Amino acid sequence: MFQLVYISSATPGETISMGNILTASRRNNTRDAITGLLYSNGQRFLQALEGPEDKVLAAMARIQADKRHRAVVVLSAQPVAEREFGAWAMAHHDAAQDGERVVEQVGRLVANASPSVKATFEGFCKLRRAA
Ligand SMILES: Cc1cc2nc3c(=O)[nH]c(=O)nc-3n(C[C@H](O)[C@H](O)[C@H](O)COP(=O)(O)O)c2cc1C
């Protein structure tokens, strides 16, 4: 099982449809046995992908080439013993819609993640809350 976590920013001027992104993601990820979490506030993305290494890397290559976002920075890419972000084809959390609740939800989702990945997610949530 392989886990990859990255952060990115929406491309200025692009109208981002989370619906479109999630529909394609869930279709492809279900096919590829990939699960994970996509956190966004419309401007920035933080995504965790988990699954077979070759599938995760192939998905990441597609995602990286996607012009809807830029400044993609991979924060961690490592083998994990088991899935740490739940069994969703792609869970989605939106800072604007979920407000405070999202911080708690993400906190629960990353409860089993490694300390560095956990700190990254929690830091991102706090940052967005303060912005
Ligand atoms: C922030 C963001 C997250 C994405 N996450 C995924 C994902 O988890 N899985 C996936 O297959 N595509 C994801 N995509 C979409 C891919 O970039 C690409 O458009 C898609 O995989 C193409 O699939 P298709 O050839 O079936 O249309 C994401 C795109 C963005 C901008």
Side-chain angles (χ1 to χ4, degrees):
M1 184 68 49
F2 197 76
Q3 178 193 74
L4 191 148
V5 178
Y6 76 85
I7 198 163
S8 67
S9 300
T11 305
E14 282 277 331
T15 309
I16 302 274
S17 160
M18 285 314 295
N20 289 349
I21 290 176
L22 289 169
T23 300
S25 299
R26 287 171 180 153
R27 181 184 62 235
N28 294 336
N29 295 353
T30 301
R31 175 195 67 206
D32 296 339
I34 292 174
T35 53
L37 170 71
L38 176 60
Y39 182 76
S40 71
N41 65 352
Q43 287 169 355
R44 301 192 77 197
F45 300 104
L46 181 62
Q47 188 172 31
L49 298 164
E50 295 182 328
E53 182 168 355
D54 57 336
K55 302 292 188 194
V56 168
L57 295 178
M60 193 58 207
R62 292 196 307 271
I63 293 168
Q64 207 139 18
D66 195 319
K67 296 279 187 289
R68 289 173 288 188
H69 64 169
R70 59 176 193 168
V72 177
V73 178
V74 175
L75 300 175
S76 79
Q78 58 182 3
V80 287
E82 56 189 38
R83 294 181 196 268
E84 295 174 344
F85 289 91
W88 293 277
M90 189 48 60
H92 175 234
H93 290 286
D94 184 317
Q97 276 168 22
D98 297 356
E100 292 287 317
R101 264 183 48 231
V102 78
V103 179
E104 281 170 39
Q105 288 175 336
V106 173
R108 274 199 297 277
L109 284 167
V110 299
N112 297 322
S114 69
S116 65
V117 168
K118 203 172 160 206
T120 301
F121 268 85
E122 286 169 353
F124 189 88
C125 287
K126 290 203 184 88
L127 214 86
R128 295 323 313 164
R129 219 163 27 155

